[in-house]
Structures are given as C-alpha cells and as structure tokens.
C-alpha cells in the first residue's frame, strides 16, 4: 500500500496541471472564435436591425435589390444542377473505373479551388470580352456573354466547379462497386442501377455537396464582380448589391441584404451538421 | 480495341458517357478559359511582360498579398491548432456548436464577411474603438488585410488538424507523462510530430486561399496604391481601365502562383500520407 501512494499523488498533480491547461486552451479557442466569427456575424444583424424592423424591411423595397435577389436565384438555379450533373458523372467515371491519367483528372477538377476568384472572372474576359478569342465573333452576332447574365453564370460555374465532385469521389471510391456489379449481372439496366443502387448510397454526400455548391454560388463575389459590369437591376447579384449599397453609405439596406446571405450561410451550416450527424450514425 | 489498354475492363456501364462529359465540361468551363489567359499573356513581348511585372505598384501589391497571407496562415497555424485541440480533446458546453461554426467562413459570402469586418474594426466600430485607444488601427491598414485573411483561412487549418489529432496515439502521450515528461516536452516530441503534416497542409491551403482572396479584403483594406492594395484588386483596376495586357500579365503571375501552391499542397499531402495515416474523413 505504501508503494502506491506516491503514484496516486503524482497523477493528481498532473491532472491539476492539465485542468488549468484545459481551461486556458478552451478559453483561448472560444475567445479567438468569438472575436473572429461571432463579432462580425453579430455586427451584420445589429447593423441591419439598427433602425428597427420596418426600416430593415424597407431595405428590400428597392427594385434593384429585388432584381439582384432574382438574378442570384436564377444563377444558382442554373449553376447548381449543372455542377451536380458534372459531379455525378466525374465521380462515376473516376470511382468506378481504372484508367490512365486519373490522378491528373482529379487534380484538374480541383484546380478552381486553387485559383483566385478574380482570375476566374479575368479568364472569361480574355475568352469572351471585346478583345478576347471569341469577342469579334460574338459581337458580329450580337451575343453578350461578358457584362451580362451568361458571364455571371459561367464565372459562378467556374468557382463552384469542384464542390459536388469533391464530395462524391472519395465517398464512391470508399463504397466500391460490388453492389452495382451485382445489379448489372442480374440484368438491371445502367439507369436503374444508378437510381436504385448508387443514388441511395451516396444521397447524403450528394446533398452535402449540393448545399455547399449552392452557398458558394449564391455568395460568390470576386469572380462575378469582374464579369458583371455592374449594371444596376440587370447584372448585379446579391453580393454585388451589398457592395453598391455599402459604398453609397446606405448601411441599413446593405446589411439587410447581407443578413439574408448570412442566414443562407447559417442554414447551410445547419444542414451540413445534420448530414454529418446522419452519416456518423450510419457508419458508427 | 485500344479502349481496353487505356482502361481496365469492367462490367459497369457508362464509362464513355461519364468520362466524355467530364472531360468536355472541364475543358469548356475551366481549361479553355485558362488557356485563353495564358495565350493572351504569351502575345506580349518580354519587355512588355517584365515592365508590367516589375512595376513598383505591382511589386508592392505582391508584397502585401503574399506577406499578409503568410502572416495570416502562421497565426492560423497557432490558433487553428488550439481550436482543433480544444474541439478534439476536451468536452465542454457548446462544443458541437463551436465545431459547426468553424465552417462559417466557407459558407458566409466573402462580401458579407468583408463589410462585417470593416464595420467591427472601423475606428468607430465595436473592436476598432477599443483598439484605437491603444493606438492600433486595423481597418484601412495592412493589419485589416491580415485580419480578413485570418478569418478566411481558419477553417482550412482546423479541418486539416482535427482528423490528425483524432488519429494521434494518446497512449504514447500517457506513457511519456507517466515516465515523467512535462507537458511541453510531450507536445514537442510526441504531439507535434504526429500532427505536423496535417498542420502544414492546413497552413499551405490557408496560404493559397489568402493569396487569391478578394471579396473579404477589399472592404477592410482601404485600397491605397502601394500601401493596402492587394494583387487581385490591382487586376480588377487594370480591367476597369481597359488595360487588358496588364491584367493578363498579372493574372498569369497569380495563376502560376496557384499552380506552385497546388503542387506544394500535393507534395505536403503525399509526404504526410507516407509518414502516417492521414486519410480524409
């Protein structure tokens, strides 16, 4: 008995020190996040509601703001399905088959993550702008891409390009292909196999990719700013409208639109947390 | 059949269709536009290209973009590690909420975080007022750029380090403690080596993102030429002045930088994978 007492003593000493460290580290972490994440988020809401709910709601009566909301919804309605179809195709090709150049393909799909949003807009101007490759050809036919809605859509597709594919590729690689092979061997068609076998397996990962893609598509600023031309009520999306209102010192209206985008971010995080919780329950 | 040499045979359908569409969409949306930028830059003469590249205003912008991104990534490496540590190793009220909030900078549009930070840190804002009494001005200085890039880069570090901390072998730490090692010794000799590849990956990702960031920076930086003007903003200004050659040359430099960063990230990840298990989620 006498031999064990110093050891117990020592352990108590360590855990007291660890306790101090624990409290200190949690405090640092929470303070850092509070300063960096909560303060700005609180500022958005405080500024938006500074003059009361009525003034907040008046911020949305501006026809240009309503047009910006419509354009943002339209852009997301084109971009998200396009990148979802692309993501599913890319994940199917990469996860289900072995072929040469696969790792190069994966790197290229990730490329838009590494490129500055401003570059995403710039390259479209180099391609479709008046001095771009297709510029003269488009001008002859009176087709506007840059400084018009198609340019905004293309820039948004560029920056949100990897989201769905990036979620699905590792998921489908990890799940393997035995069930799909069984379905095909038993005579199921390609389409039926995908809908009945693959889709149920990947649905949470797919949903996760889609909501991230959507959040980024609705919130993209840099790339869209370069190609939009900032024509009020025509080619301004919600983030661009925030910028215009802010630069006009119309802070309540700017933060009112910003608060909608902040709510979109929070809803995205809630869905993301839910999806992760579902995925954990399935595997764990 | 050349196809069989190009890929391993499989009974699953849809290879041609899905790979074909993937390659087509990738080429049309990403590769063709990037090629247009490279060709536009290639049409410049060497002296034109170098004149744009070495223009003092451009050089000042690289210094700010790269320097601020580097400093922000270093600060994130320290605090991101602390946050990841607290989330993985400790149980405290609100832990799940904090964990979910880490991704806020991913989900929050950059323009929103930009005006929010500018408001909080402006000389009349909540934090700006308090800092002003100590003589520190954040908004409209280079410090503001760093603050915005810390916000943007934080999730990269935390999300890289978290899985590595979960995987780290705690029995080694406990054994070291039992043998009398102090907490700093355990940190330096056991914890840090185990999570270092993940920390470096997060650092590099945050750095890469910081160099190219635009939306959250332009509102808080003040955008003074030579002082608080980041390179992406200089590209936007050149485009607004219809200086397409200048924009293309600077864009080409940033694009090359992105490739270097991408290469570095792949290298770091490959190194980490060889060292120990660091496979995703």
């Amino acid at each position: 008995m006498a031999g064990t007492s110093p050891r117990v003593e020592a352990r108590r000493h360590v855990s007291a020190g660890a306790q101090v460290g624990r409290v200190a580290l949690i405090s640092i972490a929470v303070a850092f996040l509070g300063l960096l994440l909560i303060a700005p988020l609180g500022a958005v809401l405080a500024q938006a509601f500074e003059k009361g709910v009525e003034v907040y709601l008046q911020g949305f009566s501006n026809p240009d703001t309503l047009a910006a909301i419509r354009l943002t919804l339209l852009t997301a309605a084109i971009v998200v399905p396009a990148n979802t179809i692309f993501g599913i195709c890319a994940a199917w090709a990469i996860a289900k088959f072995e072929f040469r150049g696969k790792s190069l393909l994966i790197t290229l799909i990730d490329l838009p993550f590494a490129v500055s949003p401003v570059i995403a807009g710039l390259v479209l101007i180099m391609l479709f702008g008046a001095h771009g490759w297709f510029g003269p050809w488009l001008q002859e036919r009176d087709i506007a891409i840059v400084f018009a809605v198609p340019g905004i859509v293309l820039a948004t597709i560029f920056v949100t390009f990897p989201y769905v594919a990036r979620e699905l590729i590792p998921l489908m690689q990890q799940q393997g292909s035995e069930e799909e092979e069984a379905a095909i061997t038993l005579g199921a068609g390609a389409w039926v196999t995908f809908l009945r076998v693959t889709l149920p397996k990947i649905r949470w990962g797919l949903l996760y990719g889609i909501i991230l893609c959507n959040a980024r598509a609705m919130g993209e600023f840099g790339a869209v700013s370069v190609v939009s031309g900032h024509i009020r009520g025509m080619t301004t999306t919600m983030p661009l409208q925030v910028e215009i209102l802010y630069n006009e010192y119309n802070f309540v209206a700017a933060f009112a639109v910003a608060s909608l985008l902040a709510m979109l971010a929070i809803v995205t995080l809630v869905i993301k947390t839910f999806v992760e919780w579902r995925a954990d329950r399935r595997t764990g | 059949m050349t196809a069989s040499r190009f890929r391993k045979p499989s009974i699953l359908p849809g290879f041609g269709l899905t790979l074909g569409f993937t390659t087509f969409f990738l080429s049309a949306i990403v590769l063709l536009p990037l090629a247009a930028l490279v060709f536009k830059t290639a049409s410049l003469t060497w002296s034109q290209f170098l004149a744009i590249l070495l223009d003092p205003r451009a050089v000042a912008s690289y210094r700010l973009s790269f320097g601020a991104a580097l400093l922000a990534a270093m600060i994130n490496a320290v605090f991101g590690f602390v946050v990841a540590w607290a989330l993985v190793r400790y149980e405290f009220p609100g832990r799940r909420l904090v964990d979910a909030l880490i991704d806020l900078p991913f989900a929050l549009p950059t323009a929103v975080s930009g005006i929010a930070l500018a408001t909080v840190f402006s000389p009349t804002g909540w934090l700006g007022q308090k800092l002003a009494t100590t003589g520190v001005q954040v908004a409209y200085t280079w410090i503001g750029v760093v603050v915005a890039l810390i916000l943007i880069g934080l999730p990269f570090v935390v999300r890289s380090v978290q899985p590595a901390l979960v995987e780290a072998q705690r029995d080694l730490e406990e054994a070291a403690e039992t043998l009398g090692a102090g907490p700093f010794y355990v940190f330096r000799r056991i914890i840090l080596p185990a999570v270092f590849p993940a920390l470096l990956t997060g650092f590099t990702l945050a750095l890469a993102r910081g160099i190219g960031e635009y939306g959250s920076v332009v509102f808080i930086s003040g955008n003074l030429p030579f002082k608080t003007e980041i390179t992406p903003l200089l590209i936007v200004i050149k485009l607004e002045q219809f200086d397409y050659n200048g924009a293309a040359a600077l864009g080409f430099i940033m694009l090359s930088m992105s490739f270097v960063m991408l290469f570095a990230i792949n290298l770091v990840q490959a190194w980490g994978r060889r060292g120990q298990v660091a496979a995703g989620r």
Side-chain angles (χ1 to χ4, degrees), chain A residues 14 18 21-22 25-26 28-30 32-33 35-44 46-47 82-83 85-86 88-90 92-94 96-100 105 107-119 122-127 131 133-134 147 154 157-158 161 163 167 174 177 180-182 184-185 189-190 193 208 215-216 218-222 225-226 230 239 242-243 246-247 254-255 258 261-262 264-266 268-269 272-273 276-277 280, chain B residues 5-8 10-15 17-19 21-23 25-26 28-37 39-40 75-76 79-80 82-83 85-87 89-92 96 98-121 126-127 140 147 150-151 154 159 177-178 208-209 211-216 218-219 232-233 235-236 239-240 242 244-245 247-248 250-252 254-255 258-259 262 266 281:
Chain A
V14 166
R22 186 188 116 101
L25 287 176
I26 293 176
I28 293 172
V30 170
F32 182 70
L33 294 175
L35 221 62
L36 204 60
L37 300 180
I38 306 297
L41 199 61
V44 171
Q47 294 279 325
N83 276 339
I85 293 168
F86 162 76
I88 292 172
C89 281
W92 183 271
I94 287 168
K96 301 292 179 197
F97 302 98
E98 288 303 323
F99 56 91
R100 263 190 235 165
L105 183 63
T107 307
L108 289 176
I109 288 174
D110 273 346
L111 196 56
F113 273 158
V115 173
S116 169
V118 168
I119 305 297
L122 174 71
V123 294
L124 288 178
I125 290 183
M126 296 299 155
L127 201 57
H131 302 276
W133 275 1
F134 301 134
F147 309 136
L154 284 173
I157 295 183
F158 186 106
F161 189 76
Y163 280 89
E167 283 308 316
Q174 181 204 330
S177 316
E180 281 84 356
E181 280 162 6
I184 296 285
T185 315
T193 305
Y208 184 37
R216 182 74 197 267
M218 289 188 171
E220 178 52 29
F221 177 72
S225 168
V226 171
H230 303 270
V242 169
E243 184 196 25
Y246 184 84
N247 287 342
F255 281 98
L261 290 168
L264 166 76
I266 290 168
T268 303
L269 291 187
K272 173 187 175 292
T273 310
E276 276 173 353
W277 174 72
D280 276 354
Chain B
R5 260 192 292 162
F6 167 60
R7 69 165 170 113
K8 280 194 191 158
S10 160
I11 61 161
L12 290 180
F15 177 72
L17 182 72
T18 55
L19 187 67
F21 179 69
T22 302
T23 330
F25 202 60
L26 177 72
I29 296 289
V30 179
L31 301 183
L32 183 69
L34 290 181
L37 173 64
F39 275 89
K40 176 76 185 174
I75 293 171
N76 269 331
F79 285 96
V82 172
V83 170
W85 178 270
L87 287 174
R89 290 297 173 90
Y90 303 137
E91 195 58 58
F92 57 93
R96 288 196 74 98
V98 171
D99 190 51
L101 270 177
I102 297 295
D103 287 322
L104 188 66
F106 280 153
L108 197 65
T110 52
V112 177
S113 41
I115 62 167
L117 285 175
T119 306
V120 171
F121 285 102
W126 295 346
L127 290 169
Y140 321 124
V147 169
I150 294 174
L151 173 73
L154 176 74
R159 292 302 184 226
E177 273 164 24
T178 321
R209 175 69 201 264
I211 293 171
E213 178 57 23
Y214 176 72
S216 59
V218 287
F219 293 98
L233 177 71
I235 294 175
V236 171
L239 277 175
E240 278 167 1
F242 304 105
Y244 291 109
N245 287 343
L250 289 182
F252 178 76
M254 288 211 66
L255 187 64
S258 302
F259 276 105
L262 203 63
N266 281 336
R281 274 165 289 167

Side-chain angles (χ1 to χ4, degrees), chain B:
Chain B
M1 283 295 183
T2 49
S4 59
R5 260 192 292 162
F6 167 60
R7 69 165 170 113
K8 280 194 191 158
S10 160
I11 61 161
L12 290 180
F15 177 72
L17 182 72
T18 55
L19 187 67
F21 179 69
T22 302
T23 330
F24 165 74
F25 202 60
L26 177 72
S27 308
I29 296 289
V30 179
L31 301 183
L32 183 69
L34 290 181
L37 173 64
V38 174
F39 275 89
K40 176 76 185 174
T41 313
S43 74
L44 302 174
T45 66
W46 264 109
S47 56
Q48 276 178 314
F49 182 67
L50 287 178
I52 297 164
L53 208 66
L54 301 176
D55 176 60
R57 187 172 168 185
V59 172
S61 82
Y62 314 143
R63 271 226 320 265
L64 177 66
S65 274
F66 194 80
L70 193 66
L71 186 58
M74 289 194 297
I75 293 171
N76 269 331
V78 174
F79 285 96
F81 179 85
V82 172
V83 170
W85 178 270
L87 287 174
V88 171
R89 290 297 173 90
Y90 303 137
E91 195 58 58
F92 57 93
R95 192 183 62 91
R96 288 196 74 98
L97 182 71
V98 171
D99 190 51
L101 270 177
I102 297 295
D103 287 322
L104 188 66
F106 280 153
L108 197 65
T110 52
V112 177
S113 41
I115 62 167
L117 285 175
T119 306
V120 171
F121 285 102
S122 84
T124 54
W126 295 346
L127 290 169
Q129 260 175 344
K130 294 194 177 67
L131 287 168
T133 58
T134 63
V136 179
Q137 197 190 336
V138 173
Y140 321 124
T141 66
W142 65 270
I143 304 175
V145 179
V146 176
V147 169
L149 296 182
I150 294 174
L151 173 73
I152 291 302
L154 176 74
F156 291 98
V157 175
V158 177
R159 292 302 184 226
S160 300
V161 173
Q162 259 180 325
L165 274 177
V166 171
E167 303 264 332
Q169 292 167 294
R170 296 186 69 166
D171 44 349
L172 279 182
E173 294 165 37
E174 278 159 18
E177 273 164 24
T178 321
L179 292 171
F184 290 102
Y185 188 84
V186 173
F187 175 76
R188 197 162 53 85
R189 299 300 295 268
I190 295 175
I191 299 168
L192 200 57
V195 300
F196 188 71
L199 193 61
L200 194 60
T201 303
F203 170 84
T204 321
L205 287 169
L207 179 64
R209 175 69 201 264
I211 293 171
E213 178 57 23
Y214 176 72
S216 59
V217 174
V218 287
F219 293 98
I220 198 173
S221 69
N223 306 328
L224 289 171
F226 295 101
K227 288 213 170 77
T228 58
E229 189 177 62
I230 53 170
T231 311
L233 177 71
L234 192 55
I235 294 175
V236 171
I237 290 172
K238 286 196 184 291
L239 277 175
E240 278 167 1
Q241 294 165 344
F242 304 105
D243 177 8
Y244 291 109
N245 287 343
L250 289 182
F252 178 76
I253 287 302
M254 288 211 66
L255 187 64
S256 316
M257 194 67 211
S258 302
F259 276 105
V260 171
M261 295 304 299
L262 203 63
F263 185 67
I265 291 164
N266 281 336
L267 220 61
V268 168
Q269 277 174 337
W271 174 64
R273 228 173 278 134
R274 221 180 36 195
Q276 58 146 198
V277 243
R281 274 165 289 167

Side-chain angles (χ1 to χ4, degrees), chain A:
Chain A
M1 284 303 270
T4 59
S5 73
R7 216 193 282 162
V8 171
E9 196 81 336
R11 190 176 295 165
R12 191 176 300 147
H13 177 72
V14 166
S15 67
Q19 189 62 24
V20 173
R22 186 188 116 101
V23 171
L25 287 176
I26 293 176
S27 310
I28 293 172
V30 170
F32 182 70
L33 294 175
L35 221 62
L36 204 60
L37 300 180
I38 306 297
L41 199 61
V44 171
L45 295 178
Q47 294 279 325
F49 288 102
E50 198 186 11
K51 301 206 170 86
V53 178
E54 256 172 63
V55 182
Y56 172 80
L57 290 174
Q58 265 171 24
F60 299 108
S61 61
N62 181 341
D64 291 347
T65 300
L66 291 176
I69 295 174
R70 271 199 300 275
L71 180 57
T72 293
L73 292 175
L74 172 74
T75 306
I78 300 169
V79 168
V80 175
N83 276 339
T84 302
I85 293 168
F86 162 76
I88 292 172
C89 281
W92 183 271
I94 287 168
K96 301 292 179 197
F97 302 98
E98 288 303 323
F99 56 91
R100 263 190 235 165
K102 189 151 116 175
S103 53
L104 177 69
L105 183 63
I106 296 176
T107 307
L108 289 176
I109 288 174
D110 273 346
L111 196 56
F113 273 158
V115 173
S116 169
V118 168
I119 305 297
L122 174 71
V123 294
L124 288 178
I125 290 183
M126 296 299 155
L127 201 57
F128 300 117
H131 302 276
W133 275 1
F134 301 134
W137 189 90
L138 289 167
Q139 244 167 3
E140 266 170 38
R141 282 156 189 78
D142 214 19
I143 304 171
I145 291 188
V146 171
F147 309 136
V149 175
I152 292 175
V153 171
L154 284 173
T156 311
I157 295 183
F158 186 106
V159 291
T160 59
F161 189 76
Y163 280 89
V164 177
R166 210 64 214 119
E167 283 308 316
L168 290 185
I169 292 168
L171 183 66
M172 283 169 72
Q173 275 177 334
Q174 181 204 330
Q175 284 173 344
S177 316
E178 280 104 8
E179 287 149 314
E180 281 84 356
E181 280 162 6
I184 296 285
T185 315
L186 292 172
W191 197 231
V192 170
T193 305
F194 174 73
L195 286 181
R196 295 279 186 82
V197 180
T198 309
L199 199 57
K201 286 200 296 182
I202 61 168
R203 62 184 169 186
W204 294 113
L206 183 62
L207 178 64
Y208 184 37
I210 289 174
I211 57 159
L212 285 183
C213 178
N214 180 62
R216 182 74 197 267
M218 289 188 171
E220 178 52 29
F221 177 72
V224 170
S225 168
V226 171
V227 295
S228 112
H230 303 270
I231 308 163
R232 284 172 188 230
M234 302 282 287
T235 63
T236 51
T237 59
M238 283 167 78
L240 298 182
Q241 184 70 8
V242 169
E243 184 196 25
I244 289 175
L245 294 168
Y246 184 84
N247 287 342
E248 287 173 345
Y249 302 101
N250 193 348
F251 291 131
V252 172
F255 281 98
V257 181
S259 74
L260 280 191
L261 290 168
M263 278 178 230
L264 166 76
I266 290 168
V267 169
T268 303
L269 291 187
V270 169
I271 298 175
K272 173 187 175 292
T273 310
F274 174 74
V275 168
E276 276 173 353
W277 174 72
R278 284 294 306 227
D280 276 354
R281 242 180 26 159
R282 274 170 65 94
T283 53

